[in-house]
Amino acid sequence: MVRLAEAQLAKGEVEKALASFDKLLELTPDGTILAGCGKELLENNQYTEARKFLEKALASPIPSPDSRLDFAIALFHTSGAEAALSNLDQMPIAERQGDWYLLAAQLQGSMGRFKEAIANLNQGLAASPNRPDLFFEAARFLLDYSHHSEAVEFLQRATHLFPVDPKLLLSQAILYALLHRQEDADKTLAEMELRWPEWGRPYLINGIILVNHARFAEAKSLIETAIALGDSDALAFFNLALADMGSSPPDTNAA
């Protein structure tokens, strides 16, 4: 039944999928199955249905901490940030790990409580210091709310702890560019191109930054390298077209 419901969701047959999930809700008290269904529904933006599964999963004898976090996300989308944060606070302090603090910070941020949110981010990174993904998500959260200086600080800490994590270094380069620290951005991207010459994304990001600075010839070469290395999504071709149009003379046919 679980596989059937997932397959129906994947095909876009939402009504059939929700009917299958409703049958599942009646069929089993198994907390693991219920939590898994809740997560699947969350990932497909079916928050009301997910909430029913996760509420039942939390009532099982040994609910997983992940169920509490997923339930708080479902609550956020159905009842608001205050209700979600109140529910999240019910988790014992001893069970709180980095993901708990990150979610709490995200909820507080949506309510404009940035001082508390940043305190929670710091606690989360202290609770799970060996997870570079948390540093990345924390920096992304701060960027979403234009807290650029705090985001720089988080990423500098992260790249010191995880110097070979490419996603963190790339995020740091993007942030430097957003803050008009072009020399730092260039240095970070050049270091990445040397360290991971087969990865197209640093070349693409570097090319996009150069397009934004009207350095079209340099940008075109870097973006073409990124595409040759397999980083060939719409973003790459759009910026390549901008570089063609910005060249002297403009290459309209190529664009």
Side-chain angles (χ1 to χ4, degrees), residues 203-212 216 219-220 223-224 227 233-246 255:
Y203 295 97
L204 177 58
I205 295 301
N206 204 350
I208 292 169
I209 291 169
L210 292 174
V211 165
N212 287 322
F216 299 113
K220 182 178 170 75
I223 295 168
E224 286 175 337
I227 291 170
D233 59 13
L235 187 66
F237 286 104
F238 174 72
N239 280 278
L240 183 58
L242 290 180
D244 286 324
M245 289 300 294

XYZ file of all heavy atoms in Angstrom, residues 203-212 216 219-220 223-224 227 233-246 255:
236
model
N 33.051 26.961 -11.985
C 33.249 27.719 -13.221
C 31.987 28.499 -13.572
O 32.052 29.657 -14.003
C 33.599 26.765 -14.378
C 34.918 26.047 -14.212
C 34.961 24.759 -13.692
C 36.115 26.652 -14.593
C 36.172 24.088 -13.544
C 37.328 25.993 -14.454
C 37.353 24.706 -13.927
O 38.543 24.057 -13.779
N 30.827 27.855 -13.404
C 29.564 28.516 -13.734
C 29.315 29.717 -12.828
O 28.968 30.807 -13.302
C 28.406 27.520 -13.633
C 27.011 28.099 -13.883
C 26.927 28.751 -15.264
C 25.944 27.021 -13.740
N 29.491 29.526 -11.522
C 29.267 30.633 -10.581
C 30.227 31.779 -10.882
O 29.837 32.954 -10.891
C 29.431 30.142 -9.128
C 28.343 29.109 -8.782
C 29.381 31.315 -8.156
C 26.919 29.611 -8.910
N 31.478 31.433 -11.164
C 32.469 32.459 -11.512
C 32.040 33.208 -12.772
O 32.099 34.446 -12.847
C 33.841 31.803 -11.719
C 34.984 32.781 -11.503
O 34.784 33.978 -11.370
N 36.194 32.257 -11.475
N 31.551 32.459 -13.761
C 31.088 33.081 -15.000
C 29.911 34.015 -14.777
O 29.848 35.113 -15.352
N 28.960 33.590 -13.930
C 27.791 34.427 -13.642
C 28.214 35.728 -12.957
O 27.710 36.812 -13.277
C 26.783 33.651 -12.777
C 26.166 32.504 -13.583
C 25.678 34.571 -12.249
C 25.357 31.530 -12.751
N 29.144 35.617 -12.020
C 29.644 36.821 -11.332
C 30.284 37.771 -12.347
O 30.058 38.988 -12.315
C 30.645 36.430 -10.230
C 29.919 35.700 -9.085
C 31.362 37.662 -9.681
C 30.848 35.049 -8.079
N 31.054 37.214 -13.283
C 31.711 38.057 -14.290
C 30.697 38.687 -15.244
O 30.872 39.837 -15.675
C 32.735 37.229 -15.063
C 33.960 36.785 -14.249
C 34.836 35.846 -15.062
C 34.774 37.996 -13.788
N 29.631 37.961 -15.576
C 28.554 38.549 -16.390
C 27.977 39.762 -15.677
O 27.748 40.818 -16.278
C 27.444 37.508 -16.677
C 26.171 38.190 -17.182
C 27.911 36.486 -17.700
N 27.761 39.623 -14.372
C 27.196 40.732 -13.597
C 28.144 41.917 -13.483
O 27.716 43.030 -13.146
C 26.787 40.249 -12.205
C 25.540 39.385 -12.251
O 24.632 39.655 -13.028
N 25.503 38.344 -11.442
N 32.428 40.129 -20.109
C 31.714 39.111 -20.875
C 32.626 38.073 -21.519
O 32.282 36.891 -21.569
C 30.839 39.785 -21.930
C 29.785 40.691 -21.340
C 29.838 42.058 -21.528
C 28.755 40.158 -20.566
C 28.873 42.891 -20.979
C 27.794 40.988 -20.012
C 27.846 42.353 -20.215
N 33.732 35.697 -18.867
C 32.561 34.936 -18.421
C 32.213 33.837 -19.412
O 31.939 32.698 -19.023
C 31.367 35.876 -18.240
N 32.234 34.161 -20.706
C 31.865 33.188 -21.746
C 32.758 31.956 -21.688
O 32.273 30.814 -21.738
C 31.964 33.854 -23.119
C 31.559 32.967 -24.293
C 31.665 33.758 -25.593
C 31.507 32.854 -26.817
N 30.113 32.450 -27.027
N 31.841 29.861 -18.543
C 30.536 29.202 -18.643
C 30.604 28.057 -19.650
O 30.020 26.983 -19.429
C 29.443 30.220 -19.006
C 29.272 31.231 -17.870
C 28.110 29.509 -19.255
C 28.423 32.438 -18.230
N 31.319 28.251 -20.745
C 31.484 27.161 -21.718
C 32.222 25.984 -21.088
O 31.903 24.815 -21.362
C 32.228 27.674 -22.953
C 31.359 28.550 -23.838
C 32.131 29.150 -25.004
O 33.378 29.265 -24.911
O 31.480 29.533 -25.997
N 29.701 24.110 -18.910
C 28.785 23.301 -19.728
C 29.492 22.053 -20.235
O 28.936 20.948 -20.210
C 28.228 24.150 -20.890
C 27.284 25.232 -20.333
C 27.487 23.270 -21.901
C 26.863 26.279 -21.348
N 22.540 23.315 -17.087
C 21.130 23.612 -16.846
C 20.765 24.957 -17.477
O 21.582 25.616 -18.124
C 20.814 23.583 -15.349
C 21.640 24.569 -14.543
O 22.282 25.457 -15.153
O 21.654 24.465 -13.303
N 19.520 25.373 -17.281
C 19.035 26.607 -17.900
C 19.837 27.818 -17.454
O 20.065 28.757 -18.231
C 17.553 26.797 -17.577
N 20.267 27.816 -16.189
C 21.044 28.938 -15.656
C 22.323 29.146 -16.464
O 22.724 30.280 -16.751
C 21.379 28.664 -14.185
C 22.038 29.774 -13.385
C 21.095 30.952 -13.223
C 22.462 29.257 -12.024
N 22.963 28.043 -16.833
C 24.215 28.131 -17.588
C 23.967 28.740 -18.964
O 24.666 29.666 -19.389
C 24.838 26.746 -17.719
N 22.961 28.241 -19.684
C 22.724 28.733 -21.040
C 22.193 30.164 -21.042
O 22.499 30.948 -21.942
C 21.770 27.789 -21.779
C 22.427 26.504 -22.180
C 22.180 25.332 -21.491
C 23.339 26.475 -23.223
C 22.801 24.149 -21.847
C 23.970 25.291 -23.591
C 23.707 24.122 -22.898
N 21.403 30.517 -20.052
C 20.916 31.894 -19.953
C 22.083 32.867 -19.805
O 22.161 33.890 -20.499
C 19.956 32.020 -18.769
C 19.518 33.431 -18.486
C 18.645 34.086 -19.330
C 19.991 34.103 -17.377
C 18.248 35.391 -19.080
C 19.605 35.411 -17.110
C 18.726 36.056 -17.970
N 23.012 32.546 -18.907
C 24.153 33.446 -18.692
C 25.128 33.419 -19.860
O 25.774 34.435 -20.156
C 24.844 33.095 -17.378
C 24.117 33.684 -16.186
O 24.301 34.853 -15.855
N 23.253 32.896 -15.564
N 25.220 32.282 -20.551
C 26.046 32.234 -21.756
C 25.452 33.157 -22.827
O 26.186 33.885 -23.519
C 26.141 30.794 -22.274
C 27.034 30.585 -23.496
C 28.470 31.043 -23.222
C 27.020 29.108 -23.915
N 24.135 33.159 -22.950
C 23.472 34.052 -23.906
C 23.718 35.520 -23.539
O 23.955 36.365 -24.417
C 21.973 33.758 -23.954
N 23.672 35.831 -22.224
C 23.968 37.206 -21.793
C 25.401 37.600 -22.164
O 25.650 38.733 -22.582
C 23.771 37.333 -20.278
C 22.344 37.267 -19.746
C 22.351 37.402 -18.232
C 21.466 38.346 -20.364
N 26.330 36.659 -22.001
C 27.727 36.936 -22.349
C 27.865 37.172 -23.849
O 28.602 38.065 -24.283
C 28.617 35.782 -21.902
N 27.134 36.377 -24.654
C 27.164 36.583 -26.108
C 26.616 37.962 -26.479
O 27.177 38.668 -27.319
C 26.337 35.499 -26.814
C 27.038 34.151 -26.827
O 28.282 34.136 -26.956
O 26.358 33.120 -26.701
N 25.518 38.358 -25.842
C 24.909 39.659 -26.137
C 25.784 40.817 -25.651
O 25.723 41.920 -26.190
C 23.521 39.755 -25.499
C 22.475 38.871 -26.162
S 22.229 39.253 -27.906
C 21.543 40.899 -27.792
N 26.577 40.562 -24.624
C 27.424 41.616 -24.079
C 28.771 41.720 -24.748
O 29.547 42.646 -24.463
N 23.656 33.947 -29.194
C 22.777 34.107 -28.025
C 21.452 33.410 -28.280
O 20.916 32.726 -27.404
C 22.554 35.580 -27.737
